[in-house]
Amino acid sequence: MKKIIFLLLFPLLCQGQEIKRAYYNSGAILSEVHYNIEGKRDGTTKYFYDWGAWAIKTEANYKNGKMIGTFKSYTKDGRIKEEGFYKYTEEGVYSERTGIWKRYYDSGELNTEITYDENGRSVKYISYEKDGAIMPMPEGGC
């Protein structure tokens, strides 16, 4: 009975939400974007590759047109290419990166770690060799 009630209420809960999909010329899906009633991105947004077994290129969440929460991008073979977190802010045009953002070599090893403070400023940058050794910073920083 609970399932039936949920199924009946589900369209009401999603009222005002719209999912738009775009496609490559090949017919494969290019993107899937959720929009709110004001026409702003709101919910999960995914972009896809046009080939390969692993299709997702990037995955992010939005609130009122701004990124919020976890962001991930992937290589063509499904390995994580970049990952981090966006802090939603009412001010400004964009959300702010916060915490540790990681980028990876195509082979999967950690390439860089960038730490952002609560205001979206990068405060720490570490670059790695493929064997995991930390690359020395040039004199005077980046």
Side-chain angles (χ1 to χ4, degrees):
M1 183 67 171
K2 287 182 182 179
K3 288 181 183 178
I4 294 171
I5 292 172
F6 177 75
L7 291 173
L8 292 173
L9 290 176
F10 187 73
L12 297 174
L13 296 173
C14 295
Q15 196 169 22
Q17 287 280 331
E18 181 180 7
I19 300 172
K20 291 185 180 178
R21 292 179 180 88
Y23 296 88
Y24 289 101
N25 289 336
S26 67
I29 189 165
L30 166 68
S31 63
E32 182 177 274
V33 182
H34 294 242
Y35 291 91
N36 63 20
I37 197 162
E38 289 97 26
K40 296 179 181 178
R41 289 182 186 206
D42 202 89
T44 304
T45 293
K46 293 180 184 179
Y47 286 88
F48 300 89
Y49 287 106
D50 190 16
W51 61 83
W54 182 262
I56 298 174
K57 188 174 188 177
T58 61
E59 187 172 22
N61 292 300
Y62 283 79
K63 177 181 176 183
N64 292 320
K66 296 181 182 180
M67 285 190 189
I68 183 172
T70 303
F71 169 88
K72 289 185 180 181
S73 68
Y74 300 91
T75 61
K76 295 173 190 171
D77 61 354
R79 292 188 182 132
I80 293 180
K81 186 175 183 177
E82 183 178 22
E83 62 184 336
F85 193 85
Y86 279 99
K87 178 181 124 184
Y88 180 81
T89 177
E90 293 286 337
E91 308 84 45
V93 178
Y94 302 105
S95 294
E96 297 170 344
R97 289 180 176 210
T98 188
I100 298 173
W101 277 69
K102 297 179 181 182
R103 292 184 187 139
Y104 299 88
Y105 290 102
D106 285 342
S107 51
E109 295 88 2
L110 184 60
N111 181 327
T112 57
E113 283 183 320
I114 304 171
T115 303
Y116 294 88
D117 67 14
E118 287 296 312
N119 297 314
R121 293 185 301 253
S122 61
V123 293
K124 186 176 179 184
Y125 182 93
I126 303 172
S127 188
Y128 297 91
E129 301 280 354
K130 282 192 173 185
D131 67 2
I134 296 175
M135 289 185 187
M137 288 294 283
E139 186 123 345
C142 295

